[in-house]
Amino acid sequence: MSQQEKAVLVIGAGINGVAIARELLLNRLPVVLVDRWDISFGTTAYSSRLIHGGLRYLEFCDFKLVHESLEERERLLDLSPQFVKPIHLFIPIERRFSGFLAAAKKFFGWQSKKKGPPVPRGLWLINMGLWMYDALARRSKMPRHRVFRVNDPDSPPVNQQQFRWLCSYYDAQIEFPERFVLAMLEDARQLAQENGVSLQVLTYHEVTKQGEHFSIRPTREGDSATTMKPAAVINATGAWVDQALQQVGVDSPKLMGGTKGSHFLTRSPALRSALDGNGVYAEASDGRPVFLLALGEYSLVGTTDLVCEVSPESVTASEEELDYLRKAAIEVFPHVELTRDDIEMHYCGVRPLPTSSAGTTAAITRRHILHELSLIHISEPTRPPLLSRMPSSA
């Protein structure tokens, strides 16, 4: 039997697909890695570029996910300091006591049909959340959280007419996740050579099923098609999970209910000076979290969280979303006077989240979910499993 016949077919070459391929090669299993577009085309490239510990998941009582996220963050800080670095984040706070009732409803999963105006989280509530965050990150080498008065010279110059305190904590940032994925892929190539197994990477190819075999066809001219009968198939296409299942003929209920997140980049000197290499984790007018982050010579502002109703590769940041993010930045730093002309670039991606009946998009779980599905029209003795992986996303 050839290595290709024993190979695992991994569909999707983002961070999860490449990580899965590397793990398989560590276990001496040959891999064929296929993506309809380029390496890191999807959510990997269109994220907020944070390796965060999941602070806001505490509101939904998801301690396991926060602990897992913090463990992964520390591991990446230790193993990949060339890609993942600490970032100091500040949370502007208006009031001392507010937000406890709203937080309790999220914590215990209480749904309310009546939706009033959002209540800003108060100092005591945020301080409590950060205390829990520090406790879960007990092995972290990064500093614990602190509280600053709004006029403290060691804190960002936020709007003193609106905010009274700032809580600070540390998380991690990855400026170029695409480079990290390419480095992981190169490590996978070296593992394949060392272990004497094959790794085949096919970008700009799509997978369809023909009987007991899978056809891997190029999406552009010049490349040739190939067929294979894999030992197993792993669908790691993120927001495209449902489309990929349809293409390989798997009868499955709708698994994905992704939400779109938009960001913009600006070289505004005033905003860059205000951030001073740090980040701000603020609440927008609707209560959603918005990040203002130093990112090299730019400042990054994001993100939105809207239901996605088009194919993931077609999403774009709307003018309404850009205006929403711009106003959120101005609310924190009114002296910056950010205008639409200051936005040099914007991008939008789809979070690969599961279908959910949650009352808000923020309440949809960010956990990893693994589904084992049966491939139809394949006889039982030779039927390879197909796993659909739905990764978490901020």
Side-chain angles (χ1 to χ4, degrees):
M1 184 181 290
S2 69
Q3 281 212 1
Q4 193 178 52
E5 289 175 310
K6 294 186 292 183
V8 177
L9 173 61
V10 179
I11 310 173
I15 181 63
N16 283 279
V18 171
I20 290 167
R22 180 181 176 277
E23 195 69 25
L24 292 166
L25 291 161
L26 274 170
N27 288 276
R28 293 178 166 79
L29 292 170
V31 173
V32 177
L33 179 63
V34 181
D35 199 292
R36 188 176 182 183
W37 289 281
D38 208 341
I39 306 295
S40 303
F41 170 81
T43 308
T44 304
Y46 298 121
S47 68
S48 298
R49 297 172 183 261
L50 289 172
I51 303 292
H52 62 76
L55 174 62
R56 72 187 187 90
Y57 306 150
L58 289 174
E59 284 191 312
F60 299 98
C61 198
D62 204 338
F63 299 106
K64 184 177 179 181
L65 178 58
V66 176
H67 182 263
E68 177 187 307
S69 299
L70 287 166
E71 288 287 318
E72 290 181 352
R73 186 193 72 181
E74 295 308 306
R75 192 174 296 116
L76 288 168
L77 284 165
D78 286 341
L79 298 178
S80 303
Q82 71 274 39
F83 297 112
V84 182
K85 303 180 185 301
I87 184 170
H88 197 182
L89 292 168
F90 292 83
I91 305 175
I93 302 166
E94 300 179 33
R95 307 175 189 175
R96 189 185 297 274
F97 302 110
S98 69
F100 275 99
L101 180 59
K105 288 180 179 179
K106 292 179 183 178
F107 192 83
F108 292 108
W110 297 336
Q111 300 275 343
S112 176
K113 293 183 180 180
K114 293 183 179 180
K115 291 187 178 180
V119 179
R121 299 165 182 87
L123 176 63
W124 283 28
L125 179 64
I126 291 175
N127 211 16
M128 183 186 301
L130 289 172
W131 179 86
M132 296 169 66
Y133 197 60
D134 287 342
L136 289 167
R138 57 189 178 276
R139 288 187 238 173
S140 176
K141 299 173 186 176
M142 292 194 285
R144 302 302 189 187
H145 82 277
R146 293 178 60 193
V147 178
F148 294 86
R149 282 283 181 180
V150 76
N151 57 355
D152 193 301
D154 292 330
S155 65
V158 299
N159 184 359
Q160 296 188 26
Q161 302 301 314
Q162 181 170 349
F163 303 109
R164 298 171 61 191
W165 304 275
L166 295 104
C167 281
S168 81
Y169 70 103
Y170 279 81
D171 245 326
Q173 183 179 51
I174 181 167
E175 289 191 11
F176 303 106
E178 305 89 344
R179 292 182 182 177
F180 176 76
V181 174
L182 288 172
M184 187 179 293
L185 185 57
E186 178 56 30
D187 190 56
R189 291 185 194 276
Q190 293 179 23
L191 285 169
Q193 291 180 347
E194 292 170 7
N195 293 335
V197 293
S198 66
L199 168 63
Q200 189 175 8
V201 180
L202 298 169
T203 55
Y204 298 98
H205 282 69
E206 60 184 8
V207 178
T208 56
K209 192 168 75 64
Q210 296 180 338
E212 295 185 358
H213 290 77
F214 287 80
S215 175
I216 304 173
R217 299 177 179 177
T219 58
R220 56 186 184 184
E221 296 181 2
D223 296 323
S224 58
T226 185
T227 59
M228 66 178 294
K229 187 177 179 181
V233 184
I234 298 176
N235 177 5
T237 55
W240 289 266
V241 158
D242 291 317
Q243 288 99 315
L245 290 176
Q246 289 177 6
Q247 282 191 268
V248 297
V250 174
D251 186 15
S252 167
K254 181 175 171 59
L255 299 177
M256 301 306 302
T259 63
K260 61 180 290 197
S262 294
H263 307 73
F264 71 74
L265 291 167
T266 176
R267 290 193 205 191
S268 164
L271 182 55
R272 187 179 180 188
S273 174
L275 291 173
D276 193 25
N278 302 308
V280 170
Y281 180 3
E283 289 185 52
S285 56
D286 60 356
R288 276 213 76 255
V290 171
F291 287 101
L292 288 71
L293 305 169
L295 188 72
E297 62 184 280
Y298 292 91
S299 298
L300 172 68
V301 181
T303 176
T304 56
D305 193 9
L306 303 172
V307 174
C308 179
E309 298 177 345
V310 298
S311 188
E313 72 274 12
S314 304
V315 296
T316 57
S318 68
E319 287 299 321
E320 289 79 11
E321 287 177 283
L322 296 178
D323 195 49
Y324 166 88
L325 294 172
R326 186 182 62 83
K327 287 178 178 177
I330 292 173
E331 189 169 330
V332 176
F333 297 118
H335 69 279
V336 168
E337 298 180 351
L338 204 62
T339 69
R340 178 63 178 85
D341 291 338
D342 290 315
I343 299 176
E344 295 199 20
M345 188 185 95
H346 56 80
Y347 63 88
C348 183
V350 177
R351 299 174 184 84
L353 305 179
T355 53
S356 172
S357 58
T360 65
T361 53
I364 302 174
T365 182
R366 264 63 172 171
R367 289 192 183 191
H368 285 77
I369 300 173
L370 194 65
H371 292 277
E372 185 170 357
L373 306 170
S374 297
L375 293 169
I376 59 175
H377 305 315
I378 295 182
S379 58
E380 189 68 30
T382 59
R383 182 183 70 200
L386 188 146
L387 303 178
S388 282
R389 185 175 178 85
M390 295 158 57
S392 63
S393 176

